Amino acid sequence: MDGTRMEALAAAAVRALSGEPALHFRGGRLHKGHRAVPAHAPHLSFPADEDRGSFRGVADGLALRVTGSDPRLHRRLRPENGIARLVFEMLEQFRVESLVSPVMPGTGRNVRHRHRRWALDAHHSGLTETDAGLLIYTVGQVCRARITGEPVLAETEDLIEPTRAAVGAALGPQLRGLRQTRTDQAAFGRHARALAEKVAAMLAEAGSGSGDRGESETAAQFAFLLDFEEGADGGIARAESGRGPGAGVGYRIFTTAYDREVAASSLMRPALAQEYRARLDRLVLDRGAHHVRLARDLRALLAVPATDGWEGDLEEGYVDARALPRLVSSPAERAVFKRPRSVPAGDTLLTFLIDCSGSMKQHRDAVAVLVDVFARALELAGFACEILGFTTAAWNGGQARRDWFRAGRPANPGRLNEVRHLVYKDAAATWRQSRRGIAALLRTDGYREGIDGEAVAWAANRARARDERRKLLLVVSDGSPMDTATALANGEDYLAADLAAVVDEIGERGDIEVFGLGAGLDLSPFYRRFHALGELDAAGYRVFREILELIAKRRRPL
């Protein structure tokens, strides 16, 4: 069973245990709706391999934290940062894991297995090779053993024994209090905070006394162990100022006066368009892309049964009134029945939305071949296809940024650039009519910056205006949204937050299936259904097959 499947099963377990239907995993991170749920303890992360027990242990541990800990009370009691916060967060997780009901022995086994597996991995990774690392590791082992009543990890018991003896006297009163108050979060929190602050003080004193790292540098050393940020999503935080048309909640646009939607073919002289088309034809031929084979595969994947007249002269089915006179002349005649003729029909729109930011320029040949062959194959198979792109009209804001300066540079202005939405192939146009428009992807002077969230919303709205029953939106990109002017004025995560919000809103609406195709990059922070395409230039038919497999997978639950 692959990691994606186990991740989906883990999400189902979390929802079942917590009773929270909005919980789901995206890129290995638990989310509740749009927001990521912080991984409060280092063992609450999926393993690198496919250890089923660890996947289930992570799911059960997260569910216990959601149901067994009051987040408001926890925030009020916890230290703000550093080693003290790290230790405090681990202790609260150990507390909720100690409260597993006796009627759920499997949950207890799962969380024990996951912590044991993490502890072994941490030891073998070198965490215990430094004095600071050994102290943190020992405190975690001793505290979990005291809170849950379970023994410390046998494999490292001899290793931690000297450190346990050295800190035992200093931490003794708090250790006793942790076990006694584990059913009372407020009382437990006071003991946990006192213990966490003592551990932080030990590290700070050891660092200052030896000329080694101070407490703040030691905290940085262990920053990888915990995700402290509430609502963090791999660095993505929701923007909170205003709302722009077609964009996610908390998103603003300073001005739309310079935004344009243009046909890509109109941006080239006819002679240049012909040259690009000839070059694209050569690229398709050189890569051996077979649109006929792809059309056959698409038809098998996307076609739906449809009635196309009747099939007659059958011996069972509906009585065919036109055949009844034959019974008069031949009473033994049996082939007087009919039934509806079922044929595969195309009732699907597939939209490609291509990131035309500067970093995608290196992939333009491969992407052009990809969408050109898909467009031709989809038409041959009887499906509709639209090819769109997005970029900006200027670097670093352009006229929109100048207007912001003239307005006195108000705070939190929102998006500060001139959006260009490009139509390479309209869904109503044939492949032959759009050949030169598709070839415009080979232009090098149109790749600037990327406002992804608005582009996804724009492509989705275009798809909704069509009559096809099934609509698929495939976003081809190589990373996070980026516009320098917007990032400087609103924060680096502003556009990324909007993209995540827009994709989630479309997913919750359920009328369009959105997929992220990463050009050599993992797009899991933004898309629930995603795939990294790898080396596009040398992919051959493999990349088409990977996209078909992505579309064929069952939709992941919300």
Side-chain angles (χ1 to χ4, degrees):
M1 186 184 301
D2 61 27
T4 301
R5 177 63 174 161
M6 285 196 286
E7 186 176 299
L9 293 174
V14 174
R15 290 192 293 273
L17 287 170
S18 66
E20 293 280 357
L23 292 173
H24 63 275
F25 283 100
R26 181 192 298 160
R29 293 289 309 278
L30 183 67
H31 285 65
K32 184 175 182 180
H34 302 309
R35 292 183 175 272
V37 177
H40 295 280
H43 62 284
L44 297 183
S45 58
F46 287 133
D49 58 11
E50 296 179 4
D51 175 16
R52 296 188 184 189
S54 287
F55 271 84
R56 184 57 194 267
V58 170
D60 290 353
L62 289 167
L64 290 169
R65 188 60 176 262
V66 170
T67 58
S69 181
D70 181 344
R72 293 183 179 179
L73 176 59
H74 180 75
R75 284 194 295 269
R76 190 165 67 247
L77 293 172
R78 74 187 180 197
E80 286 306 312
N81 47 48
I83 293 297
R85 170 102 182 256
L86 186 154
V87 174
F88 185 85
E89 295 283 3
M90 285 197 298
L91 295 179
E92 176 62 10
Q93 182 63 35
F94 296 156
R95 184 186 74 84
V96 297
E97 291 181 4
S98 75
L99 300 177
V100 176
S101 170
V103 301
M104 300 174 67
T107 299
R109 285 195 301 271
N110 291 334
V111 295
R112 284 195 299 272
H113 171 83
R114 177 55 194 148
H115 184 266
R116 180 181 183 279
R117 168 68 187 278
W118 175 86
L120 283 173
D121 289 346
H123 168 56
H124 293 309
S125 70
L127 179 64
T128 56
E129 292 177 1
T130 65
D131 291 342
L134 182 59
L135 176 60
I136 294 295
Y137 184 86
T138 301
V139 168
Q141 287 287 310
V142 171
C143 289
R144 192 177 195 281
R146 182 61 64 93
I147 295 168
T148 62
E150 300 165 1
V152 298
L153 187 67
E155 289 86 341
T156 59
E157 186 173 9
D158 291 340
L159 173 69
I160 68 172
E161 186 56 35
T163 306
R164 175 165 58 177
V167 302
L171 303 181
Q174 282 72 41
L175 284 172
R176 289 190 293 272
L178 293 178
R179 177 65 183 177
Q180 295 167 355
T181 61
R182 63 193 181 96
T183 58
D184 182 346
Q185 184 179 349
F188 179 93
R190 288 190 287 273
H191 288 289
R193 177 161 184 156
L195 187 148
E197 290 174 344
K198 282 187 177 182
V199 172
M202 290 177 187
L203 286 171
E205 181 179 355
S208 61
S210 63
D212 201 354
R213 292 182 177 88
E215 196 271 343
S216 61
E217 292 187 19
T218 305
Q221 179 185 1
F222 298 106
F224 73 96
L225 291 178
L226 284 177
D227 170 19
F228 285 157
E229 297 304 319
E230 305 294 337
D233 184 8
I236 299 170
R238 293 292 304 278
E240 298 296 342
S241 52
R243 180 181 176 86
V249 174
Y251 184 75
R252 300 180 64 179
I253 302 171
F254 185 73
T255 178
T256 60
Y258 310 106
D259 297 347
R260 298 288 185 272
E261 177 184 318
V262 296
S265 59
S266 68
L267 302 176
M268 301 183 296
R269 292 178 287 104
L272 186 60
Q274 185 174 353
E275 178 184 332
Y276 280 137
R277 184 62 238 184
R279 179 183 165 195
L280 180 54
D281 288 338
R282 290 194 299 271
L283 289 171
V284 172
L285 184 63
D286 291 344
R287 282 165 170 73
H290 304 291
H291 70 276
V292 176
R293 175 185 175 186
L294 180 58
R296 184 174 63 249
D297 292 342
L298 284 166
R299 191 178 295 114
L301 175 62
L302 299 177
V304 294
T307 301
D308 182 24
W310 294 85
E311 183 181 0
D313 296 330
L314 302 175
E315 294 188 358
E316 59 181 12
Y318 298 96
V319 174
D320 188 352
R322 294 176 300 177
L324 291 179
R326 295 206 300 268
L327 289 174
V328 177
S329 58
S330 180
E333 176 67 50
R334 294 290 182 267
V336 293
F337 297 92
K338 65 179 181 179
R339 63 185 173 204
R341 183 189 300 116
S342 181
V343 296
D347 193 14
T348 299
L349 167 67
L350 193 152
T351 300
F352 281 99
L353 177 63
I354 302 167
D355 174 8
C356 296
S357 59
S359 57
M360 280 291 289
K361 190 184 299 185
Q362 62 181 317
H363 303 296
R364 66 186 185 281
D365 287 1
V367 171
V369 171
L370 172 70
V371 298
D372 187 71
V373 175
F374 252 100
R376 195 171 183 183
L378 285 162
E379 182 174 311
L380 183 62
F383 304 111
C385 176
E386 187 156 71
I387 302 173
L388 308 173
F390 63 95
T391 185
T392 59
W395 292 98
N396 198 29
Q399 297 178 85
R401 183 169 178 265
R402 286 195 291 271
D403 284 358
W404 176 58
F405 269 91
R406 294 188 187 105
R409 294 193 291 183
N412 301 316
R415 188 252 292 170
L416 282 178
N417 209 328
E418 311 162 30
V419 162
R420 286 294 180 272
H421 289 161
L422 307 171
V423 180
Y424 293 100
K425 179 188 179 299
D426 188 276
T430 65
W431 172 80
R432 186 166 297 279
Q433 292 169 335
S434 306
R435 291 176 73 248
R436 293 188 178 182
I438 297 171
L441 280 163
L442 299 180
R443 294 174 60 240
T444 59
D445 57 346
Y447 290 79
R448 293 190 177 90
E449 301 192 83
I451 314 290
D452 297 50
E454 290 184 58
V456 171
W458 166 66
N461 288 334
R462 286 180 63 95
R464 292 188 181 106
R466 298 278 302 179
D467 295 331
E468 285 81 9
R469 184 174 64 179
R470 186 180 184 190
K471 300 177 174 67
L472 301 95
L473 173 57
L474 278 67
V475 184
V476 183
S477 178
D478 68 342
S480 301
M482 185 59 200
D483 173 61
T484 305
T486 302
L488 290 174
N490 302 273
E492 292 184 1
D493 300 325
Y494 188 75
L495 293 176
D498 180 56
L499 173 59
V502 168
V503 172
D504 279 345
E505 287 173 3
I506 294 173
E508 290 169 3
R509 188 166 175 173
D511 57 340
I512 299 173
E513 300 172 52
V514 183
F515 305 82
L517 298 179
L521 193 78
D522 178 12
L523 297 180
S524 59
F526 308 108
Y527 301 94
R528 297 185 188 179
R529 303 174 74 180
F530 57 89
H531 180 71
L533 295 175
E535 294 296 329
L536 283 173
D537 290 330
Y541 196 80
R542 175 183 61 78
V543 70
F544 299 119
R545 187 170 62 250
E546 290 175 356
I547 294 173
L548 295 177
E549 290 173 354
L550 175 64
I551 295 172
K553 288 181 181 178
R554 290 186 60 188
R555 186 182 307 192
R556 299 170 75 183
L558 295 177

